[in-house]
């Protein structure tokens, strides 16, 4: 029995060239949003299971790589072309050499995958619904159906989605939704970067079906909407090496804390620390657990008021949440 189940519909095979010496180094890993989330959850001591489709030669390689990392895999194995990419980072920046889209799921394959998610979710405490890297792998409405069916079984559903997939999941109902301000801007939910706009967009997401909402803002403090309350979450700035995967690390750390029944504000503080530290590393979804927990103590949370912001310690916020739940 795993602590967390992750729906990762189409994991990636990632090939990365690195190094400043002649020829460089070649790194082959499993990847994709759900995989990076699983990696951080494992770093923080949680047991993780993944349900996903593993397609063709690249899918077989990804399956073996995940097993080597100690991640429980419930695969839908199928023929065809699996998603993959080749990136060159020998200059210090990511250069795309090749990116391959995976084949879409057939109706029969989708039915099998859906059933596997429901079956394995019954043995877990929380479920993350992650998205594929490319459009067209599966219909967006799958996220609505999964969110609704899992919620009906009393399972907390956490999503890190955008666009039509996010709208579908919200329609099904989720415990926590994470989105970036850039994704909100792309969806025309906000036009600029004002705090008022972002809080209003987060509250619309809450009203659309999310109990709580986290909005990340790159190097700016993230925003948490929890019921009627809105908070700014600040973390010390780190020197950035690679920002890719920071949001996945953040969400995974939040879920790790929720799996221990920690209050949401405590979980968000851990997530903010994990996301901040991830940008200092080359590996996506990786981190040092001791460093994450130490940085967590430096995270501050302030309630956003209409006229000013009132600062609270995490203990005060936890006590306030207990009063609100009565």
């Amino acid at each position: 029995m795993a602590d967390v189940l992750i729906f990762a519909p189409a994991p990636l095979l990632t090939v990365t060239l690195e190094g400043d010496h002649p020829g460089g180094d070649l790194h082959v890993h499993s990847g994709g949003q759900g995989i990076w989330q699983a990696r951080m959850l494992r770093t923080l001591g949680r047991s993780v299971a993944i349900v996903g489709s593993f397609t063709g030669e690249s899918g077989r390689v990804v399956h073996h790589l995940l097993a080597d990392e100690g991640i429980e895999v419930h695969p839908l194995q199928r023929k065809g072309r699996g998603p993959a990419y080749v990136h060159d980072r020998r200059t210090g920046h990511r250069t795309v050499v090749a990116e391959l889209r995976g084949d879409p799921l057939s109706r029969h394959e989708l039915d099998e995958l859906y059933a596997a998610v429901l079956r394995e979710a019954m043995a877990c405490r929380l479920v993350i619904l992650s998205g594929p890297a490319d459009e067209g792998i599966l219909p967006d409405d799958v996220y609505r159906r999964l969110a609704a069916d899992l919620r009906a079984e009393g399972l907390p559903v956490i999503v890190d989605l955008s666009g039509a997939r996010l709208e579908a999941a919200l329609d099904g109902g989720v415990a926590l939704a994470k989105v970036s301000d850039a994704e909100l801007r792309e969806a025309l939910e906000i036009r600029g970067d004002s705090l008022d706009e972002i809080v209003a967009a987060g509250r619309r997401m809450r009203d659309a079906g999310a109990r709580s909402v986290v909005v990340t803002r790159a190097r700016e403090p993230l925003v948490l909407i929890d019921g009627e309350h809105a908070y700014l979450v600040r973390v010390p700035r780190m020197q950035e090496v690679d920002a890719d995967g920071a949001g996945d690390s953040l969400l995974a750390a939040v879920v790790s804390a929720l799996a221990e029944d920690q209050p949401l504000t405590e979980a968000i503080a851990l997530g903010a620390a994990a996301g901040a530290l991830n940008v200092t590393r080359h590996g996506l979804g990786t981190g040092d657990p001791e460093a994450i927990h130490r940085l967590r103590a430096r995270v501050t949370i302030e309630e956003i008021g209409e006229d000013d912001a009132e600062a609270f310690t995490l203990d005060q916020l936890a006590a306030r949440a207990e009063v609100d739940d009565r």
Side-chain angles (χ1 to χ4, degrees), residues 186-203:
E186 184 176 349
L188 302 180
E189 289 291 335
I190 60 175
R191 294 185 179 277
D193 55 6
S194 77
L195 189 57
D196 287 345
E197 268 194 301
I198 291 168
V199 170
R203 285 178 168 152

Side-chain angles (χ1 to χ4, degrees), residues 5-249:
L5 177 71
I6 299 179
F7 174 52
L12 292 162
L13 178 64
T14 73
V15 180
T16 307
L17 290 163
E18 290 187 347
D20 53 7
H21 56 279
D25 298 314
L26 184 69
H27 299 276
V28 180
H29 295 290
S30 55
Q33 184 185 56
I35 306 308
W36 296 322
Q37 292 164 349
R39 193 165 287 138
M40 177 54 69
L41 280 161
R42 288 285 295 153
T43 295
L44 293 171
R46 301 282 76 78
S47 57
V48 186
I50 284 179
V51 172
S53 64
F54 295 79
T55 308
E57 294 179 2
S58 61
R60 289 195 295 273
V61 174
V62 170
H63 186 184
H64 286 295
L65 290 171
L66 288 173
D68 289 344
E69 292 189 57
I71 296 171
E72 182 182 325
V73 182
H74 300 276
L76 170 67
Q77 294 178 324
R78 61 189 186 127
K79 296 180 181 179
R81 296 169 299 175
Y85 71 61
V86 180
H87 287 178
D88 189 341
R89 290 202 321 200
R90 287 175 294 181
T91 63
H93 303 281
R94 286 184 183 272
T95 300
V96 175
V97 178
E99 290 187 344
L100 308 177
R101 293 175 177 267
D103 290 336
L105 290 157
S106 69
R107 184 176 65 179
H108 176 68
E109 291 167 340
L110 184 57
D111 285 346
E112 286 191 39
L113 196 62
Y114 196 97
V117 175
L118 296 182
R119 180 188 69 236
E120 299 306 325
M122 303 300 177
C124 297
R125 302 193 62 189
L126 301 103
V127 180
I128 298 175
L129 301 181
S130 71
D134 296 313
E135 302 291 338
I137 296 291
L138 75 171
D140 298 326
D141 191 58
V142 170
Y143 290 95
R144 178 194 61 80
R145 293 168 51 211
L146 277 174
D149 286 344
L150 293 168
R151 183 168 57 89
E153 293 300 320
L155 290 163
V157 177
I158 294 91
V159 300
D160 183 0
L161 302 166
S162 61
R165 294 173 192 156
L166 175 60
E167 291 179 10
L170 293 177
D171 194 32
V174 301
L176 176 66
K178 174 198 160 291
V179 68
S180 72
D181 61 342
E183 290 164 340
L184 289 175
R185 205 168 288 114
E186 184 176 349
L188 302 180
E189 289 291 335
I190 60 175
R191 294 185 179 277
D193 55 6
S194 77
L195 189 57
D196 287 345
E197 268 194 301
I198 291 168
V199 170
R203 285 178 168 152
R204 287 194 297 272
M205 288 175 58
R206 175 203 60 192
D207 295 342
R211 187 187 312 158
S212 304
V213 177
V214 176
V215 182
T216 59
R217 302 192 295 155
R219 296 177 66 83
E220 297 301 318
L222 62 86
V223 174
L224 168 65
I225 306 295
D226 184 27
E228 295 302 315
H229 303 292
Y231 302 100
L232 270 183
V233 183
R234 304 179 188 274
V235 64
R237 287 189 176 184
M238 303 287 110
Q239 293 296 307
E240 185 176 305
V241 173
D242 189 348
D244 289 348
D248 298 318
S249 291

